Amino acid sequence: MKPETVEFLTAGLQPLSCRTCGTRVLVKKNSVQHTSIQWTSDASRSCPVFAEQKASGALTALLDTCGNLSDSIDAAVKDGLLEVPE
């Protein structure tokens, strides 16, 4: 991958752990509505919610994220750990 492509895909990502299960991801808030999440592990192995979905036959690649992780991201924004551009 070209260096400028890597920069575009990774710039601004910050590590964040889910407050429920501890799964660690990279996160960037692009706006109030738009959040970029880069999983650093297999979500169906590290996240209990994804694991449950996979066990029930769901295609985890089609899941946006887990509600617990979304709550953790919202809390990080509220606590000032993640900035939301204006």
Side-chain angles (χ1 to χ4, degrees), residues 27-86:
V27 179
K28 177 182 178 185
K29 287 296 292 180
N30 299 299
S31 69
V32 173
Q33 298 85 11
H34 183 223
T35 304
S36 295
I37 300 171
Q38 179 66 48
W39 290 82
T40 58
S41 61
D42 179 351
S44 65
R45 291 186 183 186
S46 61
C47 172
V49 173
F50 272 68
E52 183 180 317
Q53 292 293 320
K54 184 176 181 179
S56 71
L59 297 175
T60 58
L62 300 178
L63 300 175
D64 287 334
T65 193
C66 141
N68 296 327
L69 181 58
S70 292
D71 291 345
S72 296
I73 293 168
D74 291 344
V77 169
K78 182 180 176 187
D79 294 344
L81 300 173
L82 285 175
E83 290 187 33
V84 180
E86 291 183 30

Side-chain angles (χ1 to χ4, degrees), residues 9-23:
L9 294 173
T10 62
L13 289 171
Q14 297 178 338
L16 181 78
S17 295
C18 176
R19 292 182 175 195
T20 302
C21 72
T23 296

